[in-house]
Amino acid sequence: MSMKNTLSDLNNHLFEALERLNDDDLTDEQLEKEIRRAESMGKVAGRIIENGELAFKTMKHMAEYGTGETGRIPEMLEFKG
């Protein structure tokens, strides 16, 4: 399974949500909808960031102590830049 989204994508989505919230032309109903969407996105984004922090800590640990029995880095931690 390959990853299709990156932390850069997440950052872009969050800024897009912020731009929608800042749209002065939204009706009250549209604004409420955007607020609910932004709250949901914020919760999911928080989990993604926590997951990234865990992956980073794992990577640091592996750099210090090795990659273990498999001798390879888990796919989630691979850099594909």
Side-chain angles (χ1 to χ4, degrees):
M1 182 174 154
S2 64
M3 293 179 59
K4 296 180 181 177
N5 294 303
T6 66
L7 291 178
S8 292
D9 294 330
L10 173 61
N11 194 49
N12 290 335
H13 289 301
L14 293 173
F15 274 109
E16 288 170 6
L18 183 61
E19 289 172 5
R20 286 191 302 270
L21 288 170
N22 199 34
D23 184 349
D24 291 334
D25 294 329
L26 292 179
T27 65
D28 288 345
E29 183 178 319
Q30 290 170 322
L31 181 59
E32 279 299 316
K33 180 179 177 182
E34 287 303 327
I35 289 170
R36 286 192 306 275
R37 183 191 320 220
E39 288 172 345
S40 295
M41 286 179 66
K43 289 176 184 178
V44 172
R47 295 294 184 200
I48 292 170
I49 291 166
E50 287 173 6
N51 192 44
E53 289 172 345
L54 177 60
F56 179 72
K57 288 177 183 178
T58 301
M59 190 171 63
K60 282 178 55 176
H61 178 82
M62 288 171 36
E64 187 173 341
Y65 298 105
T67 57
E69 291 181 20
T70 64
R72 68 179 195 77
I73 297 173
E75 182 179 348
M76 178 185 169
L77 300 178
E78 292 177 353
F79 175 74
K80 298 177 182 175

